[in-house]
Structure formats: structure tokens, C-alpha cells
Amino acid sequence: MPDPLWGTECLAFNLQVDLDNYATAAVEEVLDVLYPGLPTQHLVPSTALHISVLNIIRARSPNSRREKVAQWDRHQEHWLAAIDATANETTPFEIDLTELLPASSGVVAVARNCPELVDLRRRLASSMGLDTGPVPELCHATVMRFGPVVPKLAGLTQILDDLAIRVTTQVTALRTVRELVYPSLVRETLREHPLEQST
């Protein structure tokens, strides 16, 4: 389905991992090949490429902007301290993005096996006291969002099948961000959290 939030103002607080320079360049090469076949879709710019770790306060939350700010103000000291402590107990690791797959509102680069990130999400959710439900096991970077005219699945799948992707990114820090334009097209870094031995 089209992504109705693309490029709109929002307010969210998220914990993310940026792709390193090598991985960003590799994804950009893939997008240069992908875009001509899908010219009406929204490519995620390199400045917004990331892997989500946890959504702390979601952009799609029904709460008003004022309520989100109040929630962040109440909990930020505890949350940021918990992220710092968890990051300090986590050794750097790698994420291998090996497939491009269609998702509900776009195209994602997926890592099929990333136990380090799943474990990190569980420990963070516990230490931060977040009621996240089941911790997501999918590890991905969104590279394209669907525009008003969604490509037919068969054609999109064929395009993606013809594109090989193998991108490894080094995870040495987490980033707590305030998202202002969806999906992280404009974001402000609130704090960086270096992982153990990566300072």
C-alpha cells in the first residue's frame, strides 16, 4: 500500500543503528539500479538509511504531539541511562543485509540471521521498562517507500530477484533520535551510545 506518512511532519523517539560508510555506499549502488524500474516510488536518501533497534515513542502513536513530549520528558533520564548501560555491556557486531524484499509499504534490505540485534533489543526493552510486546526479530533497513501508484507484486519481485545485495555494516554505536519528518528524513540526534570497547 502507499505510504501516506512519507515526507510528512511527525514526532517520534527511536533507537537506531546507522549504516557505516561502506554499507551506505553499497546500498546507494543498489538503489541506483533499482530506481529506473520504479521511478514513481520514494527512495530513502543516504542520510536517512538506518536499522531500527527499538521504537521508543512511535510516529504512528495515537497520542498527540504534546502527550509524546510529556512522555519523553517523564522517562528520558531513565531511558537514556538504561541505553548507555546496555550499550556499555554490548560488544560491537556485524549485520549482513543479504536480500531485498517487498514489505507492506516499501522495499527492505533484510538480514536473515542477526541474533546479536535480537538479544540487544530484548535487553534494552527490559532495562528501559518498555512494554513492547514480542520483541521484533526482523532486522532490516528500509530502502524504498511506495508512492501513490504501488508497483504490481509480480513485477516488483522480479526486479528485486534480479538484484544481488550483500552489505555488511559494523555496529559500534547506537543512536537515540527525535524523528521530525517521516521516515527519519529529518531527525535529531539526542545521544550516541558507543558499544563496549568502541570509544
Side-chain angles (χ1 to χ4, degrees):
M1 64 184 70
D3 186 347
L5 292 186
W6 173 270
T8 62
E9 290 186 1
C10 68
L11 181 64
F13 296 87
N14 301 312
L15 191 58
Q16 300 174 346
V17 167
D18 285 339
L19 301 186
D20 62 27
N21 291 339
Y22 170 81
T24 298
V27 170
E28 286 179 324
E29 288 181 10
V30 172
L31 293 180
D32 286 344
V33 177
L34 179 63
Y35 186 67
L38 299 163
T40 62
Q41 310 310 311
H42 303 300
L43 290 187
V44 176
S46 60
T47 54
L49 287 171
H50 66 274
I51 294 170
S52 292
V53 179
L54 283 177
N55 295 312
I56 302 171
I57 300 175
R58 296 176 178 272
R60 298 178 191 270
S61 165
N63 293 342
S64 69
R65 190 180 188 90
R66 179 177 294 180
E67 290 170 328
K68 290 179 181 181
V69 170
Q71 183 182 2
W72 175 257
D73 288 345
R74 281 196 309 272
H75 298 289
Q76 67 167 316
E77 185 176 348
H78 165 67
W79 283 341
L80 292 173
I83 297 168
D84 282 339
T86 304
N88 194 47
E89 297 169 352
T90 303
T91 55
F93 59 95
E94 294 182 346
I95 295 177
D96 295 317
L97 301 170
T98 58
E99 289 183 87
L100 288 173
L101 297 175
S104 60
S105 60
V107 173
V108 295
V110 175
R112 282 292 185 185
N113 184 31
C114 193
E116 298 93 344
L117 181 60
V118 175
D119 174 66
L120 176 59
R121 284 172 171 159
R122 290 194 180 111
R123 290 186 289 119
L124 284 164
S126 175
S127 65
M128 295 171 70
L130 297 179
D131 183 14
T132 60
V135 172
E137 297 197 4
L138 181 64
C139 175
H140 72 283
T142 299
V143 299
M144 176 181 285
R145 294 279 183 173
F146 294 140
V149 180
V150 177
K152 294 188 181 299
L153 181 59
L156 176 61
T157 301
Q158 182 63 54
I159 291 172
L160 298 181
D161 285 347
D162 290 342
L163 280 175
I165 185 171
R166 182 62 187 265
V167 175
T168 298
T169 191
Q170 306 287 328
V171 180
T172 59
L174 309 177
R175 183 188 300 270
T176 299
V177 303
R178 179 190 289 114
E179 181 181 9
L180 300 171
V181 177
Y182 189 85
S184 285
L185 300 178
V186 177
R187 57 182 173 163
E188 298 174 349
T189 298
L190 300 178
R191 184 178 296 179
E192 286 197 34
H193 313 268
L195 300 190
E196 180 186 3
Q197 299 175 349
S198 63
T199 53

